[in-house]
């Protein structure tokens, strides 16, 4: 996709700080890191979101994430890491070329990603039922 920044990065047409790559997947530093070392893992080919990715490629992105996470622990002394993926505008996706965030974490770094709540009485079972029905329809 000509107007996609991550396609241009993957093709070497835009600069980035590369940390690892395979034939089909590239890992490079996020330009606006949550912490130093925050890395993006992308397929070199264009897919908009997770829902468009072929299974094999998704698996390969997972493998690359794991290697990057290990390197963050070794090289930058991260004590933990978050793997994140924003899919669609409502979830905060800004760049519509599927990508995983590998974010190094440190003890007491003060980051709290998602506030959590509670179900109203009876709602948890109803939500579970709706999801089970959708998954059964998909044949997942
Ligand atoms: P998302 O789409 O998941 O919200 O995040 C896109 C991420 O890409 C952001 O964290 C942003 O900082 C990063 N980003 C956007 N443009 C560039 C770029 O040109 N170079 C690099 N290295 N990162 C980018
Ligand atoms: Zn793209």
């Amino acid at each position: 996709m000509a107007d996609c920044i991550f396609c241009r990065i993957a093709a070497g047409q835009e600069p980035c700080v590369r940390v690892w790559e395979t034939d089909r997947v590239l890992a490079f530093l996020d330009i606006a890191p949550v912490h130093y070392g925050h890395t993006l893992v992308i397929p070199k080919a264009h897919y908009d979101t997770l829902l468009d990715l072929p299974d094999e490629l998704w698996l390969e992105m997972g493998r690359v994430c794991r290697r990057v996470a290990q390197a963050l622990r070794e090289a930058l002394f991260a004590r933990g890491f978050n793997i994140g993926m924003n899919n669609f505008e409502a979830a905060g996706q800004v760049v519509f070329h599927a990508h995983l965030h590998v974010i190094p974490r440190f003890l007491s770094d003060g980051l709290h990603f998602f506030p959590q709540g509670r179900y109203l009485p009876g709602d948890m079972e109803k939500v579970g039922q709706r999801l089970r029905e959708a998954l059964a329809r998909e044949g997942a």
Side-chain angles (χ1 to χ4, degrees), residues 43-55:
K44 290 182 178 177
H46 185 91
Y47 297 93
D48 282 2
T49 74
L50 168 61
L51 299 186
D52 306 302
L53 283 170
D55 285 350

Side-chain angles (χ1 to χ4, degrees), residues 1-8 10 42-48 95-98:
M1 256 198 165
D3 62 345
C4 171
I5 179 67
F6 286 0
C7 280
R8 292 202 301 276
I42 66 167
K44 290 182 178 177
H46 185 91
Y47 297 93
D48 282 2
V95 177
F96 276 75
H97 177 128

Side-chain angles (χ1 to χ4, degrees), residues 15-84:
C16 76
V17 176
R18 294 177 179 234
V19 297
W20 185 253
E21 66 187 296
T22 67
D23 287 347
R24 300 192 304 167
V25 174
L26 172 65
F28 61 98
L29 295 183
D30 192 304
I31 202 165
V34 173
H35 285 304
Y36 277 23
H38 177 171
T39 298
L40 300 174
V41 174
I42 66 167
K44 290 182 178 177
H46 185 91
Y47 297 93
D48 282 2
T49 74
L50 168 61
L51 299 186
D52 306 302
L53 283 170
D55 285 350
E56 276 308 308
L57 195 50
W58 172 235
L59 189 63
E60 193 166 327
M61 288 169 67
R63 277 196 215 105
V64 171
C65 276
R66 196 148 53 181
R67 293 194 70 148
V68 168
Q70 190 59 37
L72 290 171
R73 282 165 54 84
E74 286 172 27
L76 299 184
F77 309 106
R79 297 293 299 276
F81 55 89
N82 291 106
I83 305 288

